[in-house]
Amino acid sequence: MRRKMLTIAAIATLSISLLAGCGNGAAKLPTDLSILQTDISTLTVSENVQVVGLGEASHGTKEYQQMKAEVFKALVEKNGSRTFIIEGDFGGALKADAYIHGAEGSAEDVVKEIGFKIYNTQEMADLVDWMRSYNKNAPAGKDLHFYGMDIQRYDNNKEKLFSILDLAAPELSEKYKTAFLQLTDEDRLAISVDVLKKSKEDALELLKEMDTYEKDIVAIAGQTGFDFARESANTIYAYSDLLLSSNSDYNSLRDKYMSEKVSWFLRHGDGSVLFINGHNGHIGKKSVTSYTSLGEHLSNDVGDKI
């Protein structure tokens, strides 16, 4: 029986919920509060689930960051999940992935690269260190990965792209380093419309050229190196496109691109359960906002394929 390509499991966790009313209509709490508790370590999902989505009502809250770590650890143990995907920069999260695979540095430094200050916390650093320790003893092919599904940064995506092209296609590297010179995180919100439009054209041309020389690049950098370099170039295109969108379309387009990232990870992953986490407004399978959410895109575009 073939597994369903995608099902998003929305997880609601509850430590202790006190539902108290006012006046004579106040709700009575049960004597035994243990029935209101959920032991996250026992969490499991059915075999057909390919993506587990965990939403959070606010970013940067300590308890939410602790909870996402606990949920992921449970999925690793109970469901063989090996991929943690955060609402963070694609290129920046690759530095966290490199760290958990033994790269030099510290967890405190790599979480700063995820792209948002809300992830620069001890809880996130602790999760990254746990993943690094896990990978030291993981069997071949059973290692954990830390990825990002957002597209709102340039610098780390350029760095990943050119680290591969420098080795495997130096002429392309020099050409597009010049083309993307003005695309920086520091100036990203002040880049002119003309530069953004040109960067989209250049990024599309680069993608075509990379596809033309894929075999040559793969011969030097490997298939995985090529795939992640190409997706970094695609992220540069997507962010320029996003910055050119109107304020009213920004969130809609961003969620569309994030859903495409998750679909990309499904195609390029190892077949294990993907754990994605972000704000409730993105993760929900049914949009509660005026635009189509990441979760709804995934349900519509990928979920029904068998």
Side-chain angles (χ1 to χ4, degrees):
M1 181 179 179
R2 296 169 65 186
R3 295 181 70 185
K4 193 171 182 181
M5 186 65 178
L6 170 67
T7 301
I8 298 180
I11 301 173
T13 57
L14 183 65
S15 297
I16 300 179
S17 178
L18 301 181
L19 305 176
C22 299
N24 294 332
K28 294 183 178 180
L29 293 173
T31 304
D32 181 8
L33 292 181
S34 65
I35 66 173
L36 298 178
Q37 295 177 315
T38 297
D39 184 352
I40 294 177
S41 67
T42 65
L43 174 70
T44 186
V45 294
S46 61
E47 290 186 358
N48 70 309
V49 171
Q50 283 293 133
V51 175
V52 172
L54 176 64
E56 55 193 32
S58 65
H59 290 316
T61 303
K62 176 179 180 178
E63 288 76 12
Y64 285 138
Q65 297 208 18
Q66 291 173 328
M67 182 172 64
K68 69 180 65 176
E70 292 173 12
V71 169
F72 180 61
K73 291 176 182 179
L75 290 171
V76 170
E77 179 181 354
K78 303 295 184 181
N79 284 90
S81 176
R82 293 188 287 274
T83 303
F84 179 96
I85 303 176
I86 199 167
E87 184 192 331
D89 176 46
F90 178 81
L94 292 179
K95 289 190 172 180
D97 189 62
Y99 174 77
I100 67 172
H101 284 90
E104 294 183 359
S106 68
E108 287 74 17
D109 286 337
V110 297
V111 298
K112 296 175 183 177
E113 302 292 340
I114 302 174
F116 299 100
K117 291 182 179 179
I118 53 174
Y119 299 132
N120 185 14
T121 66
Q122 188 60 54
E123 291 73 29
M124 189 59 62
D126 289 344
L127 172 61
V128 169
D129 269 333
W130 176 82
M131 294 174 75
R132 181 181 172 100
S133 295
Y134 184 99
N135 281 347
K136 286 181 179 179
N137 299 312
K142 303 295 184 180
D143 52 312
L144 305 180
H145 291 279
F146 189 110
Y147 294 137
M149 61 184 174
D150 208 351
I151 59 164
Q152 298 182 104
R153 296 292 187 274
Y154 284 120
D155 290 352
N156 281 320
N157 291 286
K158 288 167 59 178
E159 183 176 331
K160 179 62 178 180
L161 169 66
F162 295 129
S163 71
I164 299 298
L165 293 185
D166 282 348
L167 294 174
E171 291 184 1
L172 280 183
S173 188
E174 290 306 311
K175 176 182 177 181
Y176 287 98
K177 280 180 181 178
T178 300
F180 297 151
L181 189 61
Q182 296 182 67
L183 305 181
T184 68
D185 289 353
E186 182 178 2
D187 298 326
R188 62 196 176 92
L189 300 181
I191 301 172
S192 72
V193 169
D194 288 342
V195 170
L196 290 172
K197 288 181 177 179
K198 184 63 165 58
S199 70
K200 283 180 58 180
E201 296 174 1
D202 290 334
L204 285 177
E205 184 62 27
L206 171 57
L207 290 169
K208 292 177 183 178
E209 293 193 70
M210 290 184 71
D211 289 342
T212 299
Y213 297 104
E214 178 176 356
K215 289 184 179 180
D216 295 332
I217 297 173
V218 169
I220 297 174
Q223 188 65 55
T224 298
F226 172 84
D227 290 340
F228 277 90
R230 190 187 189 283
E231 192 58 21
S232 296
N234 190 47
T235 303
I236 293 169
Y237 167 85
Y239 190 32
S240 292
D241 188 38
L242 187 64
L243 288 173
L244 285 168
S245 67
S246 64
N247 289 336
S248 60
D249 293 333
Y250 189 96
N251 288 328
S252 177
L253 187 58
R254 180 184 171 215
D255 273 51
K256 177 178 178 293
Y257 279 130
M258 285 199 292
S259 73
E260 291 176 358
K261 276 285 185 284
V262 178
S263 295
W264 186 88
F265 285 122
L266 279 170
R267 294 193 303 273
H268 293 82
D270 58 10
S272 65
V273 176
L274 304 186
F275 174 58
I276 65 173
N277 56 92
H279 197 276
N280 288 342
H282 302 303
I283 299 298
K285 293 175 69 173
K286 293 294 183 181
S287 300
V288 295
T289 60
S290 59
Y291 60 89
T292 304
S293 68
L294 151 70
E296 187 168 352
H297 275 300
L298 288 172
S299 296
N300 293 338
D301 299 341
V302 185
D304 293 332
K305 294 183 180 179
I306 305 299

